[in-house]
């Protein structure tokens, strides 16, 4: 394994502190880091909230550094919510966000989800571009926790029921 090779794998409990730090660092870099609050409680129990619930959570490492992450949180049998997609600011613009997104979409299909829903803030222009170029459709906007938020969804190819 080379020093610069990116390794994608499922979250493990030993990743908890690094995942929290990545979340806070990435949020601060884009200007959406507020005081800690209950809206971040999912990151304090990733194994339970994402994996044990029937979803998944993926991390990417370059060497020993956690550089990107993201989760799938089940809403119901057909729909998963994409959450906590973060890329370390020092590793942005290298395709890690797109690769995490692709990995999570593949896992969603394997888990049997038909739709992915997500939200991102208006100020996260890079995230909007990522989701829109990956086929996500903008559905609505509203204010959430003091931020203007865009809600997206995507039908996962190959997951539709044939109707004749």
């Amino acid at each position: 394994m080379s020093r610069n090779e990116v390794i994608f794998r499922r979250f493990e409990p030993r990743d908890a502190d690094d995942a929290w730090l990545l979340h806070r660092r990435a949020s601060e870099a884009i200007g959406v880091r507020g005081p800690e609050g209950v809206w971040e409680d999912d990151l304090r129990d990733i194994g339970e909230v994402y994996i044990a619930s029937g979803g998944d959570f993926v991390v990417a490492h370059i060497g020993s550094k956690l550089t990107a992450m993201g989760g799938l949180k089940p809403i119901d049998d057909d729909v998963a919510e994409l959450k906590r997609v973060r890329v370390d600011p020092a590793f942005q613009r290298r395709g890690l966000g797109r690769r995490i997104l692709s990995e999570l979409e593949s896992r969603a299909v394997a888990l049997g989800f038909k739709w992915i829903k997500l939200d991102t803030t208006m100020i996260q222009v890079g995230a909007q571009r990522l989701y829109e170029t990956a086929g996500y459709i903008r559905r609505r906007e509203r204010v959430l926790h003091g931020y203007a938020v865009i809600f997206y969804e995507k039908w996962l190819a190959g997951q539709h029921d044939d109707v004749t």
Side-chain angles (χ1 to χ4, degrees), residues 118-125 127-128 131 148-152:
L118 66 91
D119 62 73
T120 192
T121 65
M122 288 284 219
I123 62 176
Q124 291 175 268
V125 177
Q128 292 169 46
Y131 299 131
V149 174
I150 305 167
F151 293 83
Y152 290 92

Side-chain angles (χ1 to χ4, degrees), residues 50 71-76 78-85 101 104-105 108 113-120 131 136-137 139-140 150-156:
Y50 292 93
L72 288 171
K73 185 176 175 185
I75 294 175
D76 62 33
D78 292 333
V79 183
E81 184 178 13
L82 188 74
K83 304 275 293 172
R84 307 303 183 187
V85 175
L101 181 58
L104 288 166
E105 287 178 352
F113 294 110
K114 294 178 173 77
W115 290 92
I116 292 181
K117 295 186 177 195
L118 66 91
D119 62 73
T120 192
Y131 299 131
Y136 286 80
I137 305 299
R139 291 296 183 202
R140 62 188 172 96
I150 305 167
F151 293 83
Y152 290 92
E153 61 185 40
K154 181 179 181 178
W155 177 259
L156 297 170

Side-chain angles (χ1 to χ4, degrees), residues 38-101:
V38 295
W39 53 86
E40 297 170 311
D41 283 353
D42 60 305
L43 288 171
R44 300 196 187 281
D45 197 1
I46 291 171
E48 190 66 32
V49 171
Y50 292 93
I51 298 168
S53 69
D56 213 338
F57 201 95
V58 176
V59 295
H61 283 266
I62 297 177
S64 63
K65 184 162 182 65
L66 192 146
T67 56
M69 67 182 193
L72 288 171
K73 185 176 175 185
I75 294 175
D76 62 33
D77 289 344
D78 292 333
V79 183
E81 184 178 13
L82 188 74
K83 304 275 293 172
R84 307 303 183 187
V85 175
R86 304 285 187 264
V87 176
D88 186 302
F91 292 87
Q92 290 180 352
R93 314 250 354 119
R94 299 183 191 189
L96 290 174
R98 187 160 309 282
R99 290 178 66 190
I100 282 282
L101 181 58

